Amino acid sequence: MIKFFRKIRKNLLSENKFSKYLLYAIGEIVLVMIGILLALQVSNWNTERQENEANTQLLQKLDNELKLNIDRLVDLKDSKNGYANRIKISDSIQTILSNGLTENDIESAIKNFYTANTLNLYTSTYDEMKNTGMLYKLGSDKLLNEIETYYRLCDRESFYVIEINKEVHSQIQSNINSGWFKVQQDYYTFGKETTIKDNPWIFDKHSQEYKNTRRQITYASYFTKNILSRVNRLIDSSEKLQESIREELKK
């Protein structure tokens, strides 16, 4: 092809047909420019296709990550040792304490007083998207805002749950050598009989230790309910973001 064009140029020059040569040269330049533009367009199409494929893969991974978060949160809420069940038990213990603790109630009260859990939510796919810059190439500002808002919520609620656990634990340990903390320690170290013998106040509704225990259990129950509301909020937010991602994947 190149030899063919060279032969045309040579013939035009040898025949001294400068005007025709000029038109030919301009035409050749135009053809070259069209070729370059077509090559750029094909390159842009390929780049866009590759980005779309990468976005699709990341959104699918993000969808899976949200499913893991939902499963984790539902387990924290509804499992045998989940927050919803703990609240029921805590309310039951408060009723027992109002009526007066008995030997049969001690084990239940100790084991269900308060259990500290962290949320431990998954964020690896979001971190990958953010660190590689792919998060900002999704093409949907609305979806980008939803994703960032959701993961900020995860960070905030995880932080608050940790702080709540610290606060409740601090309250339990406030009187380390007396009160309910000592009862718990004695129970797991020496057993039920020794615990009752060394802590006779647990059957005295009018003792200061007993009153403090009731306050501590009420306090722990309040924060358990607080954490449960945060878990419910995260479940709802996870499901809404998952719905938005699946709508984006359909496009």
Side-chain angles (χ1 to χ4, degrees):
M1 183 63 71
I2 295 174
K3 290 181 178 180
F4 175 74
F5 285 123
R6 284 178 179 173
K7 185 176 180 180
I8 293 175
R9 286 199 302 269
K10 185 176 179 182
N11 289 338
L12 290 173
L13 288 173
S14 63
E15 295 174 5
N16 201 23
K17 296 178 180 179
F18 181 76
S19 58
K20 290 185 178 181
Y21 174 77
L22 185 60
L23 289 172
Y24 164 79
I26 293 172
E28 191 172 343
I29 292 171
V30 169
L31 287 174
V32 171
M33 291 178 64
I34 291 173
I36 292 172
L37 290 173
L38 286 173
L40 288 172
Q41 186 62 49
V42 170
S43 177
N44 289 338
W45 284 336
N46 285 332
T47 300
E48 184 178 353
R49 178 181 56 79
Q50 290 169 358
E51 286 185 356
N52 287 337
E53 289 176 355
N55 284 341
T56 297
Q57 291 175 0
L58 287 171
L59 287 176
Q60 289 171 341
K61 287 177 65 177
L62 200 60
D63 180 64
N64 290 332
E65 184 165 275
L66 289 169
K67 183 181 182 304
L68 291 173
N69 282 346
I70 292 170
D71 290 344
R72 165 68 178 164
L73 292 163
V74 169
D75 184 66
L76 285 172
K77 175 187 174 182
D78 295 330
S79 66
K80 182 179 179 181
N81 196 38
Y83 289 111
N85 196 43
R86 285 188 224 168
I87 290 171
K88 292 178 182 178
I89 295 172
S90 178
D91 290 342
S92 175
I93 291 172
Q94 290 185 70
T95 301
I96 290 170
L97 288 171
S98 297
N99 297 327
L101 197 66
T102 68
E103 289 188 21
N104 294 331
D105 302 320
I106 292 174
E107 182 176 356
S108 176
I110 287 173
K111 291 185 176 181
N112 295 292
F113 179 77
Y114 184 83
T115 304
N117 286 119
T118 54
L119 299 183
N120 288 333
L121 298 177
Y122 295 87
T123 64
S124 59
T125 300
Y126 171 71
D127 292 336
E128 177 188 349
M129 293 176 72
K130 187 169 60 174
N131 293 335
T132 60
M134 291 301 295
L135 178 64
Y136 310 102
K137 296 180 180 180
L138 293 176
S140 171
D141 292 337
K142 180 176 180 294
L143 182 58
L144 169 61
N145 182 63
E146 288 182 33
I147 292 171
E148 291 187 314
T149 299
Y150 169 77
Y151 281 97
R152 282 197 298 268
L153 178 65
C154 289
D155 286 342
R156 184 172 71 246
E157 299 299 1
S158 295
F159 170 79
Y160 283 135
V161 169
I162 290 171
E163 292 303 305
I164 287 170
N165 289 335
K166 288 180 182 178
E167 179 63 22
V168 174
H169 191 65
S170 174
Q171 288 293 323
I172 296 170
Q173 289 185 306
S174 57
N175 295 309
I176 193 166
N177 294 318
S178 63
W180 196 248
F181 182 79
K182 183 175 183 299
V183 170
Q184 290 178 306
Q185 296 298 102
D186 287 353
Y187 181 87
Y188 288 114
T189 305
F190 306 112
K192 183 177 178 179
E193 291 183 5
T194 301
T195 300
I196 292 173
K197 178 182 177 182
D198 292 346
N199 302 277
W201 62 265
I202 58 180
F203 302 120
D204 181 5
K205 291 173 60 176
H206 303 292
S207 68
Q208 189 60 51
E209 292 93 340
Y210 194 97
K211 292 176 182 178
N212 288 341
T213 295
R214 288 190 65 183
R215 279 197 294 270
Q216 287 179 336
I217 289 179
T218 300
Y219 188 79
S221 177
Y222 166 79
F223 280 113
T224 300
K225 292 174 182 177
N226 183 288
I227 293 175
L228 178 59
S229 68
R230 296 176 185 278
V231 168
N232 283 329
R233 187 181 306 123
L234 281 168
I235 291 173
D236 184 59
S237 297
S238 299
E239 290 174 342
K240 286 181 178 178
L241 179 56
Q242 194 175 53
E243 183 180 343
S244 295
I245 288 172
R246 289 177 179 179
E247 286 296 321
E248 184 69 22
L249 286 170
K250 290 179 183 177
K251 295 179 180 178

